[in-house]
Every structure is written in structure tokens, then in C-alpha cells.
């Protein structure tokens, strides 16, 4: 036990033993040392007329020195050393607790840094909180965007807790109003206790974290301190996800604006990019691409025709058949698209796919005449989706064929225009539609 | 034969903290030995044959790497589990740690619960 000093161990220390023996020799007496159970730890058996002197550590008797009156000095000495030993132990205990805290925060921030999902961060925080603080329920709630409501992000519930019914939410509001954590023990004489603290970054309150227990236990300031430490870490991480979200929103809005630009210019292509994206994503999924690859598919498909902005209206919007020269101009749009998108760092990965979406599997496409696997997979996917949509949507320069005819046409061009694997995946999906 | 843990660190307060962390193992009959430097550590390892050692890396004269190297590669003592301890923020040479045959390394300030867990595992004692 940390808050106890073992007498036997204390006098077993070589330096303590030496001091005691030296004193005994100097004052020329013999003593015996007994523990609380009366076992002799040191010295000989008691003699008639011997006195008993208690050894007290932290006001508690831990043993006895037996001997003549001078033996009292040994009792005082051992009491003093014992008390120092106890102080030392308590300091060590305090330091070890600090070590625990440091490690908790270190691990927590390390774990949280590996994710940008608010849900995931909340889960990590709650798992850590419930691991360290005895609880039957834990939850994190954050303000909605308009800051009017609190929305539960994650809840961990070990038992069916009754907290909602006994009105813990009133206390949550109080915590939010006052901006400091609270301990609520045995709320309204129920068996429910709770620790709740705000998730704050600087002076902005993002929400609350609370843990509760419905088994008649009481929380203390240690628990609140721990929860506060976890809350601080979680709040910073959650705030980062907000920043990340807003950057991502801006990015997606920029993409939307770009698509809108080309659609405004060429009303015939309105909706085309979005449909190609839908087809391309389903091909990608059929091919087993992972989430981040699918995101690239989506972006590349949405933006594949963006280069058409750079084509003169009289050519792009021409109703009649294009001359050879005009067709050569139209063929520049994949390169234009790549050049436009190169300016956006986050789109670097999709640039080759946009540039390559008019390449052909047999190498007879444009702009680079790449063939087979040289063409980025996403470009090969978009080629199929693009062709299908061109044949099935109403565009003035192409007659409206039936879906079946379009598929036949694509099938006919396997290995020449299209990648057979991509076409196979597409046909598989089309059947499902 | 009783199981033995050796604590090696030149800083007295780290020794105390480790001793306190491992105190409960004494109740299970485990003997805790304490050394203040690499030389003493090697003497203890040869004479007492501990099962587990918590070994500080940064020590004057014979450092933790050297002790580990001598034990594992020169003395060929392979039934000793060596945990190297190094201060957080201090660049720890993982490669060197592996080369000299350490079984694990942890950073200081150490997590007391982790130390207890690891000790339970190595000594096969459940507190």
C-alpha cells in the first residue's frame, strides 16, 4: 500500500538499521521491536520492568519499542523516519499520478491526431474517459451549426441509464452557461451521479462531455480534473475538424462553381458531368476501388470537360457539323482542363485523369496517344461513362439512341476504344439499374 | 527461486518512482534490486540473474545500450527481458536498441500502469 509504511521494511533498510544500532551502543541499552501483532522484528525478548513506547506514523501506532526508559528515543527516531518515509511515498504517488496524466494526454492527442472525423475523436475521448472514470454512460454533444441545439455525437452506454428521465440535461445547460465543469452526485436523491464539463477552445464552447453512473456512486474532484484534461484535448481536436470541414466545404464549393461555369456556357452539357460522375463511381465501386480512389473518380468525372471553357463559343456551341479544323480545336479541351486544374493543389491527383479521358485503349486517342495501362484507370473509366452518357442523353449533335444500342456500341469498341475490364464492370452495374 | 527485477537509473527519483510502481510485486515474493549505474547493473545481472530489468539509456560511463549489448551479445544471457527507458523528446535510436538486443523500450515519464502490465506479463504474475 502506498499510504502505509511497513515497519519491518523500514528497519530492514541498512542505513536505518545502522543508525539504530549505533545509538543503542552509545546509550548502552538493549531493546526489542514489536509489530502490531506482537511479532519481534528486532532485538531480544522483553525483560521484566521493560516499558513500551509506541512508534507512530501519521498519528497511527505501527509498532512498539520495548525497553528501559531511554528506549523512548528509538521510538521517537523511528516515528520520525517513518513519517518522512510516508511523506516521500505520498510525493512519489503524486508524481506517478502526474505521469499517468501526462501519458493519458500524450496518448490521447496522438490518437486524435490520426483522425479528422468528429465521431471518431469523440469515441476516442469517451473510451478513454470511461476507462479511467467509473461510469455506466458517457456522451459528447456539440452545438449545431446555428448554435441553437446540442447534438449528440457519440454515446457510450454500458447499462440502461435513466439519466435522461431525471433531467440531467438541466445541469448540462448550467455547465454550458457557466463554462465550467460540475460534479452532480446522487441527483435528486436518485442513484444517478454525473460529471460534466464544457468542450472549450480559447473562449469558444463547442459542446459538452459528460459521464454518469447510475449505481449510487459519488464522483470527486479527481474525476472532474481527469475529465477536464480529456475535454481540453477533445475540444482542440474537434475544433480542428471544424476547420478541416470548412476547408473541405470551400473546396467542394469551388468544384461546384467550376462545373457551373461550364454548364452556364454550354447548356447542352448541363447535367452531363454529374451523370458521368454517377456512372464512373459505380464502375469504380465495381472495380473495388477504395474510398479515396472513389473520391478522385468523382472529382475527375465532374471536371473532365472543364477545359471546354477554353474553346471558342462559335465552335463549342456550333449546331451543325464541325469542320476538321474545328474538331482539332475541340480536341484541345482535355489539355486545357488539365492546365486549369493544375492550379489547385488538391486536384493534382485528378489532372492526369482529366487529360486522359479521350485516350483510346488502342492508342489512337488524344491528346497523347497513350494506350492500354498507360492511360490512368480513372481516365479509362470516364471514357466509358462519358461515351454512354453522350449516346443516351439528348444532345443536338447526336441522335437519341436507346440504352441497349449504346451498350452494344460500347461493347463493340472493347479493346479498341475502351478497356475491356472497365466495360465489363460497367455492364455488370447497368444490369442492376 | 524467487523472481527478480532490476532497476537501473542514475537518477535517484526515477529509481524511487520505479520502485514504488513495482512495490506490489514484492508482496508476490518478487525481489527488487536497484543499481545506480551500468557497472553496478552488470554486477547484479551476473550475480543475481534477474528476470527483468528496467534500464535507463542515458547514464555516464557504461550506458544502457552498452549494458544491453554486453548482456545479450557478450555474456549471451538470453533469459533476461530488457526494457530500455529513455526520456521523451530525446531521440531514441530504435535501430541501435534492436541491434543491442533490447526486448522493449519505453519513454519517460513512463506510464506506471504500462510498467505494471509489462511486469505482470514478463514475470507471469497477476496482481
Amino acid at each position: 500500500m502506498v499510504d502505509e509504511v511497513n515497519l519491518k521494511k523500514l528497519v530492514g533498510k541498512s542505513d536505518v538499521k545502522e543508525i539504530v544500532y549505533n545509538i543503542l551502543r552509545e546509550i548502552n541499552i538493549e531493546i526489542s521491536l514489536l509489530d502490531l501483532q506482537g511479532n519481534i522484528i528486532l532485538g531480544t525478548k522483553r525483560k521484566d520492568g521493560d516499558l513500551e513506547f509506541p512508534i507512530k506514523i501519521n498519528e497511527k501506532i505501527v509498532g512498539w519499542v520495548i525497553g528501559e526508559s531511554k528506549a523512548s528515543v528509538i521510538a521517537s527516531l523511528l516515528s520520525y523516519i517513518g513519517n518522512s518515509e510516508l511523506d516521500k511515498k505520498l510525493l512519489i504517488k503524486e508524481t506517478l499520478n502526474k505521469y499517468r496524466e501526462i501519458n493519458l494526454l500524450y496518448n490521447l492527442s496522438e490518437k486524435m491526431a490520426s483522425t479528422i472525423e468528429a465521431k471518431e475523436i469523440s469515441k476516442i475521448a469517451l473510451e478513454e474517459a470511461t476507462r479511467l472514470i467509473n461510469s455506466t454512460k458517457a456522451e459528447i454533444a456539440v452545438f449545431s451549426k446555428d448554435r441553437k441545439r446540442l447534438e449528440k455525437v457519440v454515446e457510450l452506454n454500458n447499462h440502461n441509464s435513466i439519466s435522461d428521465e431525471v433531467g440531467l440535461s438541466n445541469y448540462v445547460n448550467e455547465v454550458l452557461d457557466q463554462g465550467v465543469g460540475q460534479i452532480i452526485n446522487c441527483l435528486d436523491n436518485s442513484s444517478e451521479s454525473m460529471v460534466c464539463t464544457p468542450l472549450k477552445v480559447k473562449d469558444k464552447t463547442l459542446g459538452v462531455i459528460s459521464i454518469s453512473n447510475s449505481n449510487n456512486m459519488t464522483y470527486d474532484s479527481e474525476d472532474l480534473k481527469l475529465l477536464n484534461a480529456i475535454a481540453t484535448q477533445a475540444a482542440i481536436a474537434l475544433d480542428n475538424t471544424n476547420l478541416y470541414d470548412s476547408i473541405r466545404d470551400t473546396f467542394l464549393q469551388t468544384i461546384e462553381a467550376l462545373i457551373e461555369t461550364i454548364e452556364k456556357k454550354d447548356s447542352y452539357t448541363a447535367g452531363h458531368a454529374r451523370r458521368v460522375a454517377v456512372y464512373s463511381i459505380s464502375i469504380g465501386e465495381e472495380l473495388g476501388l477504395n474510398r479515396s480512389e472513389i473520391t478522385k473518380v468523382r472529382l475527375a468525372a465532374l471536371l473532365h470537360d472543364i477545359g471546354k471553357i477554353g474553346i471558342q463559343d462559335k465552335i463549342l456551341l456550333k449546331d451543325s457539323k464541325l469542320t476538321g479544323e474545328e474538331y482539332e480545336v475541340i480536341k484541345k479541351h482535355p489539355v486545357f482542363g488539365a492546365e486549369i486544374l493544375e492550379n489547385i493543389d488538391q486536384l493534382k491527383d485528378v489532372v492526369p485523369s482529366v487529360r486522359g479521358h479521350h485516350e483510346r485503349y488502342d492508342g489512337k486517342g488524344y491528346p497523347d496517344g497513350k494506350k492500354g495501362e498507360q492511360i490512368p484507370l480513372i481516365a479509362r473509366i470516364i471514357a466509358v461513362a462519358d461515351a454512354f452518357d453522350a449516346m443516351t442523353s439528348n444532345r443536338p449533335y447526336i441522335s437519341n439512341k436507346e440504352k441497349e444500342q449504346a451498350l452494344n456500341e460500347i461493347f463493340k469498341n472493347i479493346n479498341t476504344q475502351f478497356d475491356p475490364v472497365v466495360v465489363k464492370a460497367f455492364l455488370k452495374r447497368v444490369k442492376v439499374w | 527461486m524467487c523472481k527478480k527485477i532490476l532497476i537501473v537509473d542514475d537518477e535517484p527519483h526515477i529509481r524511487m518512482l520505479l520502485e514504488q510502481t513495482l512495490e506490489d510485486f514484492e508482496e508476490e515474493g518478487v525481489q527488487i534490486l536497484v543499481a545506480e549505474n551500468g557497472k553496478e547493473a552488470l554486477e547484479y545481472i551476473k550475480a543475481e540473474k534477474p528476470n527483468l530489468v528496467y534500464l535507463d539509456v542515458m547514464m555516464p560511463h557504461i550506458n544502457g545500450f552498452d549494458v544491453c549489448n554486453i548482456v545479450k551479445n557478450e555474456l549471451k544471457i538470453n533469459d533476461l527481458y530488457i526494457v530500455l527507458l529513455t526520456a521523451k523528446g530525446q531521440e531514441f535510436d530504435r535501430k541501435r536498441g534492436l541491434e543491442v538486443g533490447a526486448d522493449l523500450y519505453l519513454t519517460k515519464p513512463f506510464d506506471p500502469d504500462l510498467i505494471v502490465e509489462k511486469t505482470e506479463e514478463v514475470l507471469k504474475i497477476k496482481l
Side-chain angles (χ1 to χ4, degrees), chain A residues 324-335:
Chain A
E325 212 171 287
E326 287 167 336
Y327 190 58
E328 283 308 310
V329 176
I330 287 273
K331 277 165 72 175
K332 286 181 180 164
H333 81 270
V335 176

Side-chain angles (χ1 to χ4, degrees), chain A residues 259-270 272 304-323 325-334 336 358 366 395-397:
Chain A
I259 298 162
E260 188 97 15
T261 312
I262 180 68
E263 286 185 345
K264 280 278 184 297
K265 183 168 173 170
D266 178 9
S267 61
Y268 299 122
T269 65
H272 169 66
H304 74 279
D305 273 345
I306 195 72
K308 285 186 176 171
I309 286 174
I311 309 291
Q312 296 142 288
D313 287 358
K314 63 171 190 194
I315 299 173
L316 183 65
L317 306 177
K318 194 178 174 188
D319 282 342
S320 51
K321 197 170 162 26
L322 299 171
T323 67
E325 212 171 287
E326 287 167 336
Y327 190 58
E328 283 308 310
V329 176
I330 287 273
K331 277 165 72 175
K332 286 181 180 164
H333 81 270
F336 287 175
H358 276 297
Y366 61 88
R395 295 221 249 174
Y397 54 87

Side-chain angles (χ1 to χ4, degrees), chain A residues 404-419:
Chain A
E404 204 61 31
Q405 272 176 291
L407 291 174
N408 278 336
E409 190 64 29
I410 287 171
F411 199 70
K412 260 196 277 175
N413 287 298
I414 274 184
N415 283 324
T416 52
Q417 194 174 351
F418 304 118
D419 178 349

